[in-house]
């Protein structure tokens, strides 16, 4: 076993996770619950995680809720079942805590679409602009930003900035275009996008709507403008979940990552949720990065406290400022 662990740790660098065989007869739910108690650990999971991970999590949420939880938890270990920028955000907010990510390779195409060196050059072309960045970006981009926002609070964050102050919005061009429409602010946009939200098929969603005329189309603002134009309701993951509960419709076509359907179905057993199809051969749209995390990897990372998120302190402090600004504005707005 000792050899196995040593080999697995060597593989950690290459594979991004501890590659140790897990006994298939192990009750992972029970073992993870024990590890949480023994190690004073908390599991935070994003709505796009697989159902088993959502069910074992202490807190499930979208980026805003997860960062608020990460800021206030008194656990010694934060296990982040999400993608790298989310675990990084938890580390920025709670440097004294050990932050673990079940698979270090759980990245994000949107975060990757904004390399900090290129973004700095872009920002320098607009010296009188402030930078508002969507939380789905690397610590390097956060450090180059003035305020962070999430899809839950973006409108309020933009409205908190004086009207005569020009703004750069990064990294998601679709969310940026949606916010320009909602707030009437003429922002300069960085040209990034999420690989999951930009490939929904307009044609297939239209066909679904013909087959389910009573269904409401609900969409995340990271989708392309033409897809958003079809939607009855647009909102963050949390807002979509809330809407599906409060609205009287019995059927919904859900235009975002399919992980959210687990909570929608749990909270509304009498309603039907249809995942919107992407522009490829698949029937639903999973984020390949989010789905790298598994219950086995979650267990292993808690047992061996690896892979751990670490960060240079000067980068952390620079990235912390705009996140704190976001949390202050959100608290004032009662979000
Ligand atoms: S769904 Fe899109 S924005 Fe979210 S983690 Fe996956 S690639 Fe990134």
């Amino acid at each position: 076993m000792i050899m196995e662990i040593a080999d697995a740790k060597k593989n950690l660098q290459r594979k991004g996770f501890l590659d140790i065989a897990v006994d298939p007869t192990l009750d992972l739910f029970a073992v993870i619950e024990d590890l949480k108690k023994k190690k004073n650990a908390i599991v935070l999971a994003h709505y796009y995680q697989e159902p088993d991970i959502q069910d074992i999590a202490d807190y499930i949420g979208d980026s805003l809720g997860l960062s608020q939880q990460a800021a206030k938890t008194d656990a010694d270990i934060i296990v982040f079942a999400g993608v790298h920028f989310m675990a990084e955000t938890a580390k920025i907010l709670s440097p004294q805590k050990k932050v673990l990510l079940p698979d270090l390779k759980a990245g994000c195409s949107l975060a990757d679409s904004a390399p900090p060196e290129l973004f700095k050059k872009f920002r320098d072309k607009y010296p009188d602009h402030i930078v508002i960045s969507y939380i789905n970006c690397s610590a390097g981009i956060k450090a180059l930003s003035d305020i962070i926002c999430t899809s839950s609070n973006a409108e309020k964050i933009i409205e908190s900035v004086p009207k005569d102050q020009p703004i750069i919005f990064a990294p998601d061009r679709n969310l940026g275009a949606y916010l320009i429409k909602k707030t009437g602010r003429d922002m300069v946009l960085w040209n990034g996008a999420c690989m999951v939200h930009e490939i929904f098929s307009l044609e297939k969603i239209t066909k679904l709507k013909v087959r389910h005329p009573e269904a409401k189309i609900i969409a995340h603002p990271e989708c392309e403008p033409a897809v958003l134009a079809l939607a009855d309701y647009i909102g963050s993951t949390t807002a979509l979940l809330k809407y599906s509960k409060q609205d009287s419709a019995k059927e919904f076509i859900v235009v975002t990552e399919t992980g959210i359907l687990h909570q929608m179905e749990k909270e509304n057993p009498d309603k039907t949720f249809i995942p919107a199809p992407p522009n490829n051969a698949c029937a639903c749209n999973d984020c390949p990065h989010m789905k790298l995390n598994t219950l086995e990897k979650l267990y292993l990372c808690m047992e061996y406290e690896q892979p751990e998120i670490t960060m240079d302190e000067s980068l952390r402090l620079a990235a912390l400022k705009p996140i704190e600004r976001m949390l202050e504005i959100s608290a004032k707005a009662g979000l």
Side-chain angles (χ1 to χ4, degrees):
M1 186 68 166
I2 290 170
M3 270 307 291
E4 233 177 64
I5 295 166
D7 288 346
K9 285 196 173 174
K10 259 189 248 156
N11 277 340
L12 186 61
Q13 288 275 336
R14 192 164 53 86
K15 293 191 171 172
F17 61 93
L18 284 170
D19 190 15
I20 300 174
V22 175
D23 176 356
T25 64
L26 205 60
D27 179 351
L28 287 177
F29 284 86
V31 182
I32 290 172
E33 286 301 345
D34 276 356
L35 284 169
K36 281 191 208 170
K37 286 189 202 109
K38 205 165 89 191
K39 301 195 175 202
N40 188 25
I42 186 174
V43 177
L44 305 181
H46 192 271
Y47 285 127
Y48 297 169
Q49 291 295 287
E50 62 172 50
D52 280 353
I53 293 182
Q54 293 190 35
D55 291 343
I56 196 83
D58 297 290
Y59 179 84
I60 316 163
D62 64 5
S63 303
L64 177 61
L66 290 167
S67 50
Q68 286 165 332
Q69 288 295 320
K72 71 179 187 203
T73 181
D74 56 7
D76 295 318
I77 297 179
I78 298 173
V79 186
F80 215 110
V83 293
H84 192 271
F85 76 79
M86 295 176 176
E88 224 179 32
T89 306
K91 187 68 188 173
I92 293 167
L93 286 162
S94 299
Q96 71 290 2
K97 298 187 192 308
K98 189 175 259 189
V99 177
L100 307 172
L101 180 65
D103 191 328
L104 265 189
K105 293 212 167 138
C108 168
S109 66
L110 178 54
D112 290 348
S113 69
E117 349 39 271
L118 289 184
F119 184 71
K120 186 175 180 317
K121 283 187 191 151
F122 176 79
R123 189 196 66 170
D124 290 348
K125 286 199 274 178
Y126 303 95
D128 57 338
H129 286 52
I130 64 155
V131 177
I132 299 182
S133 292
Y134 187 32
I135 198 161
N136 298 26
C137 63
S138 64
I141 294 294
K142 289 184 176 80
L144 293 167
S145 306
D146 297 286
I147 319 177
I148 296 302
C149 71
T150 70
S151 45
S152 298
N153 63 19
E155 269 181 73
K156 292 269 184 263
I157 298 279
I158 292 167
E159 280 160 8
S160 76
V161 174
K163 290 215 169 352
D164 57 349
Q165 171 61 61
I167 299 171
I168 293 173
F169 186 84
D172 191 297
R173 61 166 186 264
N174 291 326
L175 178 60
Y178 170 73
L179 291 167
I180 288 175
K181 226 169 141 186
K182 288 294 281 184
T183 62
R185 296 293 286 264
D186 185 20
M187 302 188 290
V188 173
L189 303 181
W190 176 262
N191 190 21
C194 155
M195 64 183 286
V196 176
H197 289 92
E198 72 173 349
I199 62 158
F200 282 107
S201 162
L202 200 58
E203 196 189 327
K204 289 184 190 171
I205 296 171
T206 308
K207 282 183 182 163
L208 262 184
K209 178 71 180 174
V210 172
R211 276 177 34 226
H212 302 270
E214 300 301 319
K216 289 257 176 88
I217 299 180
I218 57 176
H220 192 280
E222 283 175 33
C223 296
E224 299 265 337
V227 168
L228 293 181
L230 290 179
D232 296 290
Y233 180 75
I234 300 167
S236 67
T237 329
T238 302
L240 296 182
L241 187 58
K242 201 167 157 196
Y243 182 82
S244 70
K245 210 170 169 179
Q246 289 172 350
D247 193 77
S248 58
K250 290 285 176 208
E251 264 189 322
F252 296 86
I253 297 168
V254 184
V255 198
T256 188
E257 213 270 0
T258 44
I260 188 62
L261 267 73
H262 182 57
Q263 292 304 320
M264 287 177 171
E265 284 163 352
K266 261 174 104 170
E267 292 187 19
N268 307 280
D270 57 328
K271 298 184 179 179
T272 304
F273 297 95
I274 307 162
N279 217 345
N280 57 31
C282 301
C284 53
N285 206 359
D286 281 335
C287 171
H289 307 290
M290 286 277 183
K291 298 301 195 277
L292 282 178
N293 295 322
T294 61
L295 207 56
E296 283 76 13
K297 288 179 190 170
L298 182 71
Y299 154 65
L300 287 170
C301 92
M302 291 182 77
E303 178 72 39
Y304 299 104
E305 301 185 16
Q306 292 281 347
E308 185 184 353
I309 302 289
T310 54
M311 196 179 300
D312 172 78
E313 183 61 3
S314 59
L315 174 64
R316 188 190 75 78
L317 290 173
L320 177 64
K321 263 198 195 161
I323 300 175
E324 284 183 334
R325 191 80 197 96
M326 168 187 81
L327 293 173
E328 274 164 31
I329 298 168
S330 297
K332 263 193 214 153
L335 296 170

